[in-house]
Amino acid sequence: MGTVLDALTSKFLTTLSQLIEDEIVMTLSVKKDIKRLKKNLEHFRAVREDAEALAMEDRQIEAWWKNMSDVMFDVDVIIDLVMVQSQKFLLPARSLCFNQPMVSCFEKLLFDHKVARRIKDINEKLDEIKMNTEMFSLDRSIRQQFQVTTVDRNQTSPIDELEVVGREIKQSVDDIVQMIVSGCHENSTSVLGIQGMGGIGKTTLAQKIYNDQMIREKFQVHIWLCISQSYTETGLIKQAIRMAGENCDQLETELLPLLMDTIKGKSVFLVLDDVWKSDVWIDLLLSPFMRALNFHILVTTRDLHVLSEMHATHIHQVNKMNYGDGLELLMKKSFQSSEQICEFKNIGYDIVKKCDGLPLAIKVVAGVLSTKRTVAEWKSIRDSKWSIHGLPKELGGPLYLSYSNLPPQLKQCFLWCALLPPNFAIGRDDVAYWWVAEGFVRKEHDYSIHEIAEEYYLELIRRNLLQPIPMFVDKGESTMHDLLRSLGQYLTKDHSLFMNAESNNSMSNLRRLGISHAIEEIPPLEEHKCLRSLLLFNNKNFKSIRKDIFRKLEHIRVLVLRGTSIKDIPDSVGNLVLLRLLDLSYTEINKLPESTGRLISLEYLSLLGCRQLDSLPAGLMRLSNISFLQLDWTAIDHVPKGIAKFQQLYSLKGVFESGTGFRLDELQRLPNIQRLWVQKLEKAAPVGELVLKNSHNLRELRLGCTMGSTGERTRYQTGVVERIQQVFDMLIPSPSLVYIYIDGFPGIRFPEWLCSEPELNMPSLCHMHLNECISCSVLPPAGQMPELLVLHIKGADEVVTIGTELLGKGVRSAAAFFPKLELLRLVSMGNLEKWSLNIRNMCDDMEDNSQQLSLMPCLKRLLLFDCPKLRALPQDMYMIVNLKRIHIEGAHKLQEVVDLPAVVWLKVMNNTCLRRISNLCKLQDLFAQDCPMLDHTENLCSLKRVYMIDCLHAQVFRNCLAEEEQGILVHVATDGHNIFPDESLYN
């Protein structure tokens, strides 16, 4: 699929072509050098596709590849410097210098001299590199590039994770659980180990043991700790305390005594996942856990020596997946239909054997195969070269194959993710901006560059190189497996580094640097003059920045200092003329320097959660390239006027009207806006026109007023409420909208565009969140929305009854109410008494009742939380045929949960009057806690597991199960002893 150099060369040639046509650039004396540079780079379109692999096998080629990479980084810098200089000459004079033309001329001469020298050096290096003719192919045709198409966009969501559990895995779980339980008695301790190579399924096996019913019942405290190589002692102990049931968020000291007190005299089951060194147990955790009544430790590791040092009494070696299960996993993950399985089965079997029974390997190769549709293409993958001499064994074979088959643009994006901390939650929106700032993303067709970046992210998920976090329906967050992360770090070891406690900081020409939160002393950064990306996440040891540091790090494009302890940004930040992304979220800064206005290349600025920041520098409004600006959760009380000057704005979050500053009518002049969050709308004034009428690409809209907490609602006078109502009415969104969030609305009715034919105003809407709409008594007809996936309603204080108004007229074309809804949440509905669907009468009353409409045919999950007055669930709920999972908590008037034939998972908590659970014929798992009246059940014929905590009539309820209890595992606990399994198992 080509090397990373292919993507870089193509990008450079396009940019150089534009520069050569630029009238201002052509006034510079470097125009001949730029033309020669372009001619030189054209030669590098022919770099061999296997150049990167050859570099790992041959020392001389490795040196060539490293030199080539270094030169390409230098080319990128010089191109950007020329472009910035061109842009400077277009800017209006901002000083009162008496002889501005003379100064500009002098500056131009200095720039010419500096750039000419650097371009000459680069051209000489390229001439030398070209002399190695063996590294070039005679075929100079343009290689395949990843294209975003309508088909690709629909195929980027992977299927649900396949649960392939062979007999050997089940038997291993049973054996280890039995060993732990039989050895559990007062004053007993044991350490058991699970050992195996990376990607073989150690964590999966440990999860099944951790969540086994016998383990949950036998131990009072259950703790799971993931021990990454860059863990911090404080973070680890805090996590242990939280999982043991105590709160320690405000503590930084005295943590060990708190942990000791929390587990003292209790039985504890502890999992230490992915242990690399035994000192985490011997030097840190052993002492506090000795206070437990008894404790049993389960350790997963790749290293037998670790288990030996921890004196493990039993070691389980994880076996590889058998080929039959592996073939099933491969077919599911490569998106092959059941009709195609026979056609591809024999080749698939050969491929599974080459994966050597490793689940991770099978999944990433399946990601490659998912892009291949013919038997010949599958054979080509099977017969291609899998092993690379020089690559560490655990990173070669299938893992490298999955990387080498990526298009060049996606290779860059994949490698960049290896800079992030282990187990890092990779946000789709964040990583898309990081990639754009690095220059990895090329605009295609009618899609914006940010949409393309988001498609890159989804493509990496589809190829199983990123793992989506199940709780996000839209795949909005994901993680990277540690082996894939190690592969990325190995392939970029010559120019990128994620620094942890063991890293060597002696690398020359370092281009990208991520620093672990575990690093206690931040190393000097000035020596890394070629640095282009610096990333720190939640490192509280990073407290200050030297005043002159940014004069030495002039090539930085991406600067992330999120969650650090810095209080001041030095004036020298204005020297970073190439800086495109600045993330200061959740820092302690109280001001931005005026020199921020000189960041001519800045596209992304996030000040999210900067609670001490109360103003913005005036110079900020001069930055015409800004495409992302986030200001919410700060102390800023004035947003300057002039936001409309940011014509490239794609995402604007946290703006509000204030005095002589920002006005809503500025939104009319932002044609590219796709994500918009407007807050404090109680301060806004109606402008008498539709301010979003030109926002044809708007995908996400968040509107809100300041409402206060549930117990202390902000109350507005009638005149103010009427004005707010007018403001909301004029904010009619674009038909392109996908997400709508209303966060605080005191009006007595929802905006007209939401309550009258919303399917016409927002036909593409997938996510609707209505929070703190405290005075609206009637909900909008969301059942008419043809694409709605998630409906979340919270804090609708005036809603007493939910009836057919929520269903609306349904969607006739889909013959359903809520035809695609998957998740429904009703939260903090303090006055909700009645919920009725009454779908049969509705269909009878319709003018054309020849077609019966189905009810929420795709709904999988229902959450009812804090609805204390709700008396009953809707009678017609039995008609929701795919509703598998229900969680009801804080519904104190609810007396029964009955007649739900599709439900397989039910959790009921803190429901004071709940007495009866009946006629749930497919129910397999029942969780009940703090339901003092629950004492009756019948017709739960598929029930497998029951967990009851602090339910006074638990024994009576259990007696009702007597006739059906064969094979049912019933677990009862009191005093808040948590025996519930981890809910992530059911996602």
Side-chain angles (χ1 to χ4, degrees):
M1 294 296 289
T3 67
V4 169
L5 292 183
D6 288 336
L8 292 174
T9 303
S10 178
K11 183 185 80 168
F12 296 158
L13 288 172
T14 300
T15 308
L16 286 171
S17 296
Q18 294 169 351
L19 285 176
I20 289 172
E21 299 299 322
D22 189 302
E23 293 181 7
I24 292 176
V25 172
M26 286 300 95
T27 66
L28 303 175
S29 64
V30 296
K31 59 184 178 181
K32 291 182 180 179
D33 299 294
I34 291 176
K35 287 182 177 180
R36 184 182 167 206
L37 177 60
K38 180 176 181 290
K39 186 176 180 180
N40 254 331
L41 285 173
E42 285 172 348
H43 187 85
F44 287 86
R45 277 180 166 170
V47 171
R48 289 175 53 159
E49 288 204 45
D50 60 350
E52 190 172 20
L54 291 172
M56 285 182 274
E57 299 181 328
D58 185 292
R59 287 279 182 91
Q60 287 185 325
I61 297 177
E62 180 184 21
W64 180 92
W65 178 261
K66 186 176 184 301
N67 288 338
M68 182 74 242
S69 300
D70 281 340
V71 172
M72 285 298 186
F73 279 120
D74 292 340
V75 171
D76 201 15
V77 169
I78 204 68
I79 288 176
D80 279 354
L81 284 174
V82 173
M83 292 183 71
V84 166
Q85 188 71 6
S86 170
Q87 191 174 352
K88 276 186 177 180
F89 288 128
L90 292 174
L91 293 176
R94 293 193 300 270
S95 71
L96 297 177
C97 176
F98 69 95
N99 198 352
Q100 183 71 31
M102 183 178 293
V103 174
S104 297
C105 183
F106 182 66
E107 180 184 351
K108 178 174 172 291
L109 288 172
L110 285 177
F111 177 80
D112 273 10
H113 178 72
K114 179 180 178 181
V115 170
R117 187 178 68 248
R118 294 179 69 169
I119 295 179
K120 182 179 179 181
D121 290 343
I122 289 172
N123 279 322
E124 288 176 356
K125 290 177 182 178
L126 289 173
D127 287 338
E128 185 178 338
I129 289 170
K130 283 193 297 185
M131 293 174 64
N132 188 343
T133 57
E134 292 182 359
M135 295 310 299
F136 297 90
S137 168
L138 295 176
D139 178 15
R140 296 196 176 202
S141 59
I142 298 176
R143 291 162 188 162
Q144 181 181 353
Q145 299 286 313
F146 175 66
Q147 296 287 323
V148 173
T149 67
T150 304
V151 175
D152 288 326
R153 292 169 73 86
N154 290 334
Q155 290 180 348
T156 49
S157 294
I159 58 170
D160 291 337
E161 185 71 31
L162 175 71
E163 290 189 15
V164 178
V165 183
R167 291 182 181 178
E168 293 181 2
I169 295 178
K170 290 182 179 178
Q171 188 61 52
S172 298
V173 172
D174 293 343
D175 291 347
I176 296 174
V177 168
Q178 190 59 45
M179 193 181 307
I180 294 169
V181 171
S182 63
C184 182
H185 48 80
E186 190 171 338
N187 297 323
S188 66
T189 63
S190 68
V191 178
L192 288 83
I194 298 176
Q195 187 270 335
M197 62 192 300
I200 202 168
K202 301 182 297 295
T203 299
T204 300
L205 179 60
Q207 284 175 336
K208 293 184 179 299
I209 294 167
Y210 179 79
N211 288 290
D212 186 88
Q213 292 84 357
M214 295 176 69
I215 295 292
R216 305 303 296 186
E217 185 177 41
K218 195 70 176 179
F219 295 91
Q220 294 172 284
V221 177
H222 308 82
I223 299 174
W224 180 290
L225 300 178
C226 183
I227 317 294
S228 66
Q229 294 187 68
S230 58
Y231 74 88
T232 63
E233 293 186 0
T234 298
L236 210 58
I237 296 170
K238 279 190 170 185
Q239 180 65 7
I241 293 170
R242 290 190 198 101
M243 296 205 72
E246 286 293 331
N247 183 12
C248 58
D249 291 342
Q250 305 303 317
L251 295 177
E252 294 296 331
T253 59
E254 303 299 320
L255 290 170
L256 277 176
L258 178 57
L259 176 59
M260 292 178 187
D261 291 342
T262 303
I263 62 177
K264 183 178 180 180
K266 298 178 181 177
S267 58
V268 179
F269 182 66
L270 170 66
V271 175
L272 302 178
D273 184 37
D274 197 22
V275 177
W276 291 78
K277 288 187 175 182
S278 59
D279 55 4
V280 68
W281 172 246
I282 296 171
D283 298 336
L284 179 63
L285 296 174
L286 176 59
S287 177
F289 276 87
M290 291 296 290
R291 297 294 186 94
L293 177 66
N294 63 75
F295 62 89
H296 293 259
I297 318 299
L298 183 64
V299 182
T300 73
T301 183
R302 302 181 194 182
D303 191 349
L304 280 171
H305 187 61
V306 168
L307 297 175
S308 174
E309 290 181 338
M310 294 178 66
H311 305 294
T313 55
H314 174 79
I315 298 174
H316 174 79
Q317 301 268 353
V318 180
N319 296 322
K320 296 173 181 177
M321 180 175 278
N322 68 63
Y323 293 154
D325 289 342
L327 180 61
E328 185 181 358
L329 180 60
L330 182 82
M331 291 300 179
K332 293 285 186 179
K333 284 290 183 180
S334 59
F335 303 96
Q336 300 306 313
S337 65
S338 56
E339 294 81 14
Q340 293 176 300
I341 287 180
C342 292
E343 185 180 357
F344 290 88
K345 186 173 182 180
N346 291 336
I347 308 169
Y349 192 81
D350 293 340
I351 291 172
V352 168
K353 287 200 292 185
K354 292 189 77 169
C355 292
D356 201 24
L358 295 176
L360 176 64
I362 293 170
K363 286 192 283 187
V364 296
V365 172
V368 176
L369 296 174
S370 69
T371 66
K372 316 296 181 184
R373 292 301 174 200
T374 68
V375 171
E377 288 177 313
W378 276 48
K379 286 181 178 178
S380 175
I381 294 298
R382 180 195 64 188
D383 300 335
S384 62
K385 183 179 180 181
W386 284 37
S387 59
I388 302 295
H389 179 69
L391 193 65
K393 183 179 179 181
E394 70 274 14
L395 304 181
L399 300 191
Y400 183 75
L401 176 76
S402 66
Y403 164 77
S404 64
N405 274 269
L406 287 172
Q409 305 100 304
L410 292 184
K411 283 182 176 177
Q412 297 179 97
C413 297
F414 168 79
L415 294 174
W416 202 92
C417 290
L419 267 180
L420 300 171
N423 305 307
F424 187 83
I426 302 172
R428 175 196 58 216
D429 299 343
D430 289 335
V431 79
Y433 271 102
W434 294 331
W435 292 340
V436 168
E438 278 278 11
F440 296 158
V441 187
R442 297 174 58 190
K443 194 177 185 311
E444 297 177 25
H445 309 302
D446 296 328
Y447 302 115
S448 73
I449 196 168
H450 302 95
E451 288 177 296
I452 301 297
E454 290 175 18
E455 296 304 333
Y456 287 3
Y457 167 85
L458 291 172
E459 181 67 14
L460 290 179
I461 286 180
R462 189 168 77 90
R463 290 172 180 256
N464 300 307
L465 296 174
L466 295 178
Q467 302 167 322
I469 297 175
M471 67 180 290
F472 294 93
V473 174
D474 60 354
K475 311 291 186 294
E477 290 194 8
S478 62
T479 58
M480 176 178 270
H481 191 281
D482 62 339
L483 270 182
L484 291 168
R485 182 171 173 271
S486 296
L487 173 65
Q489 291 182 342
Y490 184 85
L491 294 174
T492 56
K493 66 183 187 302
D494 291 331
H495 55 73
S496 300
L497 173 68
F498 179 80
M499 184 182 296
N500 53 32
E502 300 176 351
S503 298
N504 181 3
N505 188 31
S506 60
M507 186 186 304
S508 62
N509 285 342
L510 185 64
R511 309 288 180 163
R512 299 186 178 105
L513 176 62
I515 299 180
S516 164
H517 65 277
I519 297 291
E520 295 185 2
E521 185 174 346
I522 306 299
L525 299 174
E526 299 90 323
E527 61 195 61
H528 300 300
K529 296 182 179 180
C530 296
L531 203 62
R532 58 185 290 140
S533 289
L534 175 62
L535 313 176
L536 286 95
F537 296 96
N538 302 315
N539 190 314
K540 298 302 180 183
N541 301 310
F542 192 71
K543 298 179 180 179
S544 62
I545 303 175
R546 285 183 52 179
K547 289 185 178 181
D548 62 343
I549 189 171
F550 293 129
R551 290 188 174 90
K552 299 177 180 179
L553 301 179
E554 61 180 0
H555 295 161
I556 282 190
R557 288 158 170 76
V558 176
L559 181 58
V560 178
L561 304 176
R562 185 185 299 180
T564 59
S565 298
I566 58 169
K567 292 182 173 63
D568 297 296
I569 301 294
D571 286 337
S572 63
V573 73
N575 290 67
L576 303 180
V577 293
L578 300 185
L579 187 68
R580 295 175 184 162
L581 184 147
L582 178 59
D583 186 348
L584 301 173
S585 304
Y586 301 108
T587 58
E588 299 175 23
I589 61 169
N590 52 35
K591 70 173 183 177
L592 283 176
E594 192 61 38
S595 63
T596 306
R598 300 204 306 268
L599 299 176
I600 192 172
S601 301
L602 194 67
E603 299 174 2
Y604 177 111
L605 176 62
S606 179
L607 303 171
L608 172 66
C610 295
R611 301 285 190 180
Q612 309 303 316
L613 183 67
D614 59 9
S615 64
L616 295 173
L620 184 67
M621 308 312 291
R622 294 196 296 263
L623 303 180
S624 59
N625 288 321
I626 290 286
S627 65
F628 179 103
L629 181 62
Q630 185 157 23
L631 307 175
D632 42 332
W633 297 357
T634 66
I636 293 173
D637 59 5
H638 177 79
V639 178
K641 191 174 183 179
I643 292 290
K645 296 177 184 176
F646 299 153
Q647 284 293 291
Q648 305 303 316
L649 260 180
Y650 171 87
S651 183
L652 177 62
K653 300 181 177 181
V655 293
F656 53 90
E657 286 201 359
S658 55
T660 58
F662 170 76
R663 283 284 182 269
L664 289 181
D665 58 8
E666 292 192 62
L667 299 175
Q668 296 179 80
R669 302 191 293 279
L670 297 175
N672 298 307
I673 195 76
Q674 293 205 19
R675 301 181 187 276
L676 175 63
W677 296 6
V678 186
Q679 58 191 30
K680 302 181 184 178
L681 279 168
E682 69 274 10
K683 296 185 175 184
V687 294
E689 50 189 322
L690 306 180
V691 297
L692 298 180
K693 65 181 180 181
N694 296 325
S695 304
H696 303 301
N697 300 308
L698 191 63
R699 296 173 60 203
E700 178 180 328
L701 178 63
R702 186 184 294 261
L703 305 172
C705 297
T706 306
M707 300 306 301
S709 60
T710 302
E712 300 177 357
R713 295 285 196 209
T714 302
R715 296 294 176 182
Y716 295 103
Q717 294 181 353
T718 303
V720 176
V721 172
E722 291 175 354
R723 175 164 50 81
I724 292 172
Q725 186 86 53
Q726 293 176 34
V727 170
F728 271 79
D729 281 340
M730 75 181 187
L731 291 171
I732 302 176
S734 162
S736 59
L737 202 68
V738 178
Y739 299 82
I740 180 71
Y741 301 85
I742 295 185
D743 290 340
F745 176 61
I748 60 173
R749 59 168 177 80
F750 284 99
E752 189 69 17
W753 47 265
L754 189 59
C755 58
S756 177
E757 298 186 322
E759 72 279 10
L760 299 181
N761 296 316
M762 301 173 289
S764 302
L765 194 74
C766 294
H767 297 253
M768 182 187 292
H769 295 250
L770 308 176
N771 297 311
E772 319 302 338
C773 300
I774 60 172
S775 300
C776 295
S777 59
V778 179
L779 296 175
Q784 297 174 191
M785 308 297 292
E787 302 295 330
L788 196 65
L789 297 174
V790 175
L791 176 60
H792 173 95
I793 303 172
K794 177 183 178 184
D797 296 350
E798 290 298 312
V799 174
V800 177
T801 300
I802 297 178
T804 54
E805 75 284 349
L806 182 63
L807 301 177
K809 301 174 184 177
V811 180
R812 286 303 183 97
S813 62
F817 299 98
F818 289 106
K820 293 188 178 180
L821 191 69
E822 295 183 11
L823 173 61
L824 173 60
R825 291 190 292 244
L826 300 178
V827 179
S828 298
M829 305 285 281
N831 292 305
L832 179 63
E833 298 178 6
K834 183 180 180 181
W835 181 15
S836 172
L837 296 172
N838 204 19
I839 185 174
R840 289 166 294 184
N841 292 342
M842 275 194 69
C843 292
D844 291 341
D845 292 341
M846 287 183 177
E847 295 179 6
D848 177 14
N849 59 12
S850 60
Q851 183 185 36
Q852 290 290 317
L853 273 63
S854 60
L855 178 63
M856 305 181 190
C858 297
L859 187 67
K860 298 174 183 177
R861 299 185 188 182
L862 169 66
L863 172 66
L864 298 175
F865 184 84
D866 190 21
C867 301
K869 297 181 181 180
L870 182 64
R871 296 193 295 266
L873 298 178
Q875 288 185 353
D876 284 355
M877 191 171 280
Y878 74 91
M879 300 175 69
I880 305 177
V881 296
N882 285 305
L883 181 56
K884 306 296 184 187
R885 180 169 171 165
I886 298 179
H887 181 160
I888 304 174
E889 183 170 348
H892 298 303
K893 296 293 184 181
L894 187 68
Q895 297 189 31
E896 61 181 17
V897 179
V898 298
D899 301 329
L900 298 170
V903 173
V904 298
W905 187 98
L906 174 65
K907 177 182 280 189
V908 288
M909 297 179 65
N910 189 28
N911 301 302
T912 309
C913 296
L914 182 64
R915 289 179 173 272
R916 180 173 174 236
I917 299 174
S918 298
N919 298 330
L920 280 68
C921 58
K922 291 186 179 180
L923 186 67
Q924 297 181 12
D925 294 273
L926 172 62
F927 309 84
Q929 182 172 1
D930 293 318
C931 296
M933 305 295 289
L934 184 60
D935 62 2
H936 182 74
T937 184
E938 59 187 354
N939 194 19
L940 305 182
C941 50
S942 300
L943 196 61
K944 294 181 179 179
R945 292 165 288 271
V946 179
Y947 302 84
M948 303 187 77
I949 302 174
D950 293 331
C951 295
L952 296 181
H953 300 294
Q955 188 56 50
V956 177
F957 186 88
R958 182 170 183 168
N959 291 340
C960 293
L961 294 171
E963 295 182 4
E964 304 169 351
E965 197 173 346
Q966 294 181 1
I968 300 178
L969 297 171
V970 181
H971 308 282
V972 178
T974 57
D975 300 325
H977 171 199
N978 184 13
I979 58 172
F980 289 174
D982 186 347
E983 286 193 28
S984 64
L985 285 184
Y986 300 91
N987 283 324

